Amino acid sequence: MNAINSIKKRYDELVSLIEKYNYNYYNLNKPLVDDADYDALMLELLDIERKYPSLKTEDSPSQKVGGEITNTFTEVKHSPPMLSLDNIFSEGDLYDFDRRCKKGLGENDDILYSMELKFDGLAVAVLFENGRYIQGSTRGNGIAGEDISANIATLRSMPMSLSGDSVPTHLTLRGEVFMRHGEFDRLNKMREENEESPFANPRNAAAGSLRQLDPKVTEERALDIVIYQVGSMESNLSISNNQDMLNYLKKLGLPVPEYIDFGSLEDIKEFYQYWMENRHILDYDIDGVVIKVNDLMSRDILGMTSKAPRWATAWKFPAKEAITTLRSVDFQVGRTGVVTPVANLDPINIGGVLVKRASLHNLNEIKRLGIMIGDSIKVKRAGDVIPKLVDVITEKRPESVYSIVIPKKCPSCGSLLRREEVYIRCLNPECESKRMETLKYFISKEAMDIEYMGPELIVRLRRAGKLNSISDIFKITKEDLLQLDRMGDKLADKIIESIDSRRSIPLSRFLRSLGIRNVGDHIAKIIARSVTSLENLYNMQIEDLKEIYEVGSEVAESVYSFFHNSETKAIIDEMKNAGVTIENEVYKNEGKDNIIEKIFVFTGALQNFSRKEAEDMVERYGGKVSSSVSKKTDYLVAGFSGGAKLEKAGKLGVNIISEDEFLTMIGKAK
């Protein structure tokens, strides 16, 4: 494998990991990695994109804001888009940010910055019309969020009407909803008494509480909100800087940041250092300091990218760490057979969370750390669910330590394990852990998304002898469910309805749900669009699969082996017999003369549909989509905040059109 192919492979791995972590963080409120690890992956991705710009795609995680929009709540469009913040991690990064701001403003003198705490909660947008609260929504993907107006209205610190003089006729605000430590402790104690799983941290608790279908549940949990930014405002009032803006919002009766300061780079460093060392005095979580150019006109000049403003950044705190003792190591078997080491620790409180277990990731990590049972070890967490073991304190190693024994047999089924680079894998298709994890994955949101059928129910049905394979899910009856303990009539009906709603499924989602090695959401869509039907996929050889764009040898071999396995065929046939229909992935070419064979590039944020929807429309009407501008580009569709592509298109003389002009071209003008 040559160097560029190796870099491309790593880039694709990073994209896949970050998209997975984004989905779990924003949509499921269940972060899979700590903030520091996520930030490290994102920095690695950005570094590759900087060095190899041809690898960067328009739908790269570096270009996205927040998570997806669920269908649980009504969708709300943000105007203007609700962007996220770029992160910095060192004084060097701070000076780089300052240099970029000075360059953008054409200034050499010191810039006055505002500094405030970065709340670790859920970002929201709030709308007031003529001084009255109208609407509240989540950030979602930045372009649109979820309507949670009734829930935000229950927050005691959120006024339903504005007070004072000069109340604007229209006001959109950006804020953060968070949960204080006392309320978090009370809520978790109550959940444990009710035999419910406790929330991992205040951020997850706040997000879960705010996105309740019943606003009364939200009201019972004492959430707070802080307003830190104006999105848009219609007022006769003239305000020139952030300091005056926050004072104005406070006079209107809005809850603004309690701790805020203004000054130069030296002042920023002092502010950051103080709160990094003293955040424990707060009764809520913060994970850094937000730095903004104070002058509002300067912000307009600096502008923004499609993801973040150029006039602001977040200086993140380093991850929280603690030292404890490694007592033992368990080996857990996943759905693909990979056996993962998990460290069992002397319980240690890190940032208000009692940590008992930490991830060791793989065999190389054990070797790299040189870790032994009984060692004193450093564990890191930053509001995460899965803490990470990061270092061994060899100076404190006692004589009683002993080596970690890597199993040769599967801890679940006893089969011999195979070594694969940094992993060990169970190859036994009958392994109970593999079957259980496959069933859990199949019904998850990432796969078939069968509501009301969580991992616990899968375990109960499996133990009751009702689930042998994924096909059995579609054979479950209401009577089967009612035989289980703690199963009511209404819940059983909801589960059956949810199963029935997945009896017709697009080929791409079906492929994603099967848990085929090396096949995630993106590759599943690529393959489905190319083969169009399950029958065609059955008939393809490895070489045929390798001809599909973005499908390499490993993916082709995984897919071919999966669909030419007799057990797989039998399970899919059983699903069909149980009434499951796998819909063909048909992309109909509805050619339009002004689009056929034309090459389109999209830049900036679109208001009427997602980038993916726009690109699908171009292809449906016979056009082509490219991720980069060149002399061959026929049209650049410029959305909000176009960036470098817009500038390049202008230099090359490419035809630049607005989103409205694009709508006219495809016959969907308003």
Side-chain angles (χ1 to χ4, degrees), residues 52 58 127 147 164 254 261 315 349 358 378 386 554 594 637 640:
Y52 304 92
E58 282 292 333
L127 168 65
D147 190 336
L254 292 161
D261 203 352
W315 190 353
N349 190 303
K378 184 180 291 184
I386 308 174
E554 289 185 11
N594 59 344
V637 182
F640 180 80

Short mmCIF file of all heavy atoms in Angstrom, two decimals, residues 52 58 127 147 164 254 261 315 349 358 378 386 554 594 637 640:
data_model
loop_
_atom_site.label_atom_id
_atom_site.label_comp_id
_atom_site.label_asym_id
_atom_site.label_seq_id
_atom_site.Cartn_x
_atom_site.Cartn_y
_atom_site.Cartn_z
N TYR A 52 -3.43 17.29 2.91
CA TYR A 52 -3.91 16.61 1.70
C TYR A 52 -5.33 17.08 1.40
O TYR A 52 -6.31 16.35 1.59
CB TYR A 52 -3.89 15.09 1.90
CG TYR A 52 -2.54 14.55 2.29
CD1 TYR A 52 -2.21 14.41 3.65
CD2 TYR A 52 -1.59 14.21 1.34
CE1 TYR A 52 -0.96 13.94 4.02
CE2 TYR A 52 -0.34 13.74 1.71
CZ TYR A 52 -0.03 13.60 3.05
OH TYR A 52 1.19 13.14 3.42
N GLU A 58 -17.03 17.44 1.28
CA GLU A 58 -17.97 18.45 1.77
C GLU A 58 -18.70 17.98 3.03
O GLU A 58 -19.11 18.79 3.85
CB GLU A 58 -19.00 18.78 0.68
CG GLU A 58 -18.48 19.71 -0.40
CD GLU A 58 -18.22 21.11 0.12
OE1 GLU A 58 -18.86 21.52 1.10
OE2 GLU A 58 -17.36 21.80 -0.45
N LEU A 127 -36.29 32.10 20.79
CA LEU A 127 -36.88 33.18 20.00
C LEU A 127 -37.88 33.98 20.82
O LEU A 127 -38.77 33.41 21.47
CB LEU A 127 -37.58 32.59 18.77
CG LEU A 127 -38.50 33.53 17.97
CD1 LEU A 127 -37.69 34.65 17.33
CD2 LEU A 127 -39.27 32.75 16.91
N ASP A 147 -37.86 21.27 17.94
CA ASP A 147 -38.72 22.20 18.68
C ASP A 147 -38.97 21.65 20.08
O ASP A 147 -39.71 20.68 20.26
CB ASP A 147 -40.03 22.39 17.93
CG ASP A 147 -40.86 23.52 18.52
OD1 ASP A 147 -40.67 23.86 19.71
OD2 ASP A 147 -41.72 24.06 17.80
N GLY A 164 -37.92 45.96 30.87
CA GLY A 164 -37.04 47.10 30.65
C GLY A 164 -37.38 47.88 29.40
O GLY A 164 -38.37 47.61 28.69
N LEU A 254 -32.73 38.51 31.08
CA LEU A 254 -32.22 37.23 30.62
C LEU A 254 -31.02 36.78 31.47
O LEU A 254 -30.23 37.61 31.91
CB LEU A 254 -31.80 37.33 29.16
CG LEU A 254 -32.97 37.51 28.18
CD1 LEU A 254 -32.47 38.05 26.85
CD2 LEU A 254 -33.71 36.19 27.98
N ASP A 261 -14.98 38.33 31.67
CA ASP A 261 -13.92 39.33 31.79
C ASP A 261 -13.55 39.81 30.39
O ASP A 261 -13.95 39.21 29.39
CB ASP A 261 -12.70 38.73 32.49
CG ASP A 261 -11.82 39.79 33.14
OD1 ASP A 261 -12.08 40.99 32.90
OD2 ASP A 261 -10.89 39.42 33.87
N TRP A 315 -11.07 27.50 24.38
CA TRP A 315 -9.82 26.94 24.90
C TRP A 315 -10.21 25.86 25.90
O TRP A 315 -10.66 26.14 27.00
CB TRP A 315 -9.00 28.05 25.56
CG TRP A 315 -7.60 27.64 25.91
CD1 TRP A 315 -7.05 26.40 25.83
CD2 TRP A 315 -6.56 28.50 26.43
NE1 TRP A 315 -5.74 26.41 26.24
CE2 TRP A 315 -5.41 27.68 26.61
CE3 TRP A 315 -6.49 29.85 26.73
CZ2 TRP A 315 -4.21 28.21 27.10
CZ3 TRP A 315 -5.30 30.37 27.21
CH2 TRP A 315 -4.18 29.55 27.39
N ASN A 349 -12.94 8.60 42.52
CA ASN A 349 -13.81 9.69 42.10
C ASN A 349 -13.02 10.64 41.21
O ASN A 349 -12.03 11.24 41.64
CB ASN A 349 -14.35 10.44 43.32
CG ASN A 349 -15.45 11.42 42.96
OD1 ASN A 349 -15.25 12.31 42.13
ND2 ASN A 349 -16.61 11.27 43.57
N ALA A 358 -12.09 0.94 33.19
CA ALA A 358 -11.50 1.80 32.16
C ALA A 358 -11.11 0.95 30.97
O ALA A 358 -10.79 -0.24 31.10
CB ALA A 358 -10.27 2.52 32.70
N LYS A 378 -2.72 5.79 35.94
CA LYS A 378 -3.39 7.08 35.77
C LYS A 378 -4.58 6.89 34.85
O LYS A 378 -4.46 6.34 33.76
CB LYS A 378 -2.44 8.11 35.18
CG LYS A 378 -3.02 9.51 35.06
CD LYS A 378 -2.02 10.48 34.46
CE LYS A 378 -0.86 10.74 35.40
NZ LYS A 378 0.07 11.77 34.86
N ILE A 386 -16.75 6.25 29.12
CA ILE A 386 -15.74 5.20 29.14
C ILE A 386 -14.39 5.84 29.47
O ILE A 386 -13.70 6.34 28.57
CB ILE A 386 -15.67 4.48 27.78
CG1 ILE A 386 -17.06 4.01 27.37
CG2 ILE A 386 -14.70 3.31 27.84
CD1 ILE A 386 -17.13 3.41 25.98
N GLU A 554 -10.57 -5.22 1.41
CA GLU A 554 -11.08 -5.73 2.69
C GLU A 554 -12.60 -5.69 2.74
O GLU A 554 -13.25 -6.65 3.18
CB GLU A 554 -10.49 -4.93 3.86
CG GLU A 554 -9.01 -5.19 4.08
CD GLU A 554 -8.51 -4.46 5.31
OE1 GLU A 554 -9.34 -3.95 6.09
OE2 GLU A 554 -7.28 -4.41 5.50
N ASN A 594 -31.03 21.41 -18.50
CA ASN A 594 -30.07 22.39 -17.98
C ASN A 594 -29.17 21.81 -16.89
O ASN A 594 -28.32 22.51 -16.35
CB ASN A 594 -30.82 23.62 -17.44
CG ASN A 594 -31.79 23.25 -16.34
OD1 ASN A 594 -32.14 22.08 -16.17
ND2 ASN A 594 -32.26 24.24 -15.61
N VAL A 637 -22.97 26.36 -6.27
CA VAL A 637 -24.16 26.80 -5.55
C VAL A 637 -23.70 27.32 -4.19
O VAL A 637 -23.19 26.56 -3.36
CB VAL A 637 -25.17 25.65 -5.37
CG1 VAL A 637 -26.42 26.17 -4.66
CG2 VAL A 637 -25.53 25.04 -6.72
N PHE A 640 -25.11 29.90 2.70
CA PHE A 640 -24.67 30.86 3.71
C PHE A 640 -23.21 30.62 4.07
O PHE A 640 -22.80 29.51 4.33
CB PHE A 640 -25.54 30.72 4.97
CG PHE A 640 -25.18 31.66 6.08
CD1 PHE A 640 -25.62 32.97 6.06
CD2 PHE A 640 -24.39 31.23 7.13
CE1 PHE A 640 -25.28 33.83 7.09
CE2 PHE A 640 -24.06 32.07 8.15
CZ PHE A 640 -24.51 33.39 8.13
#
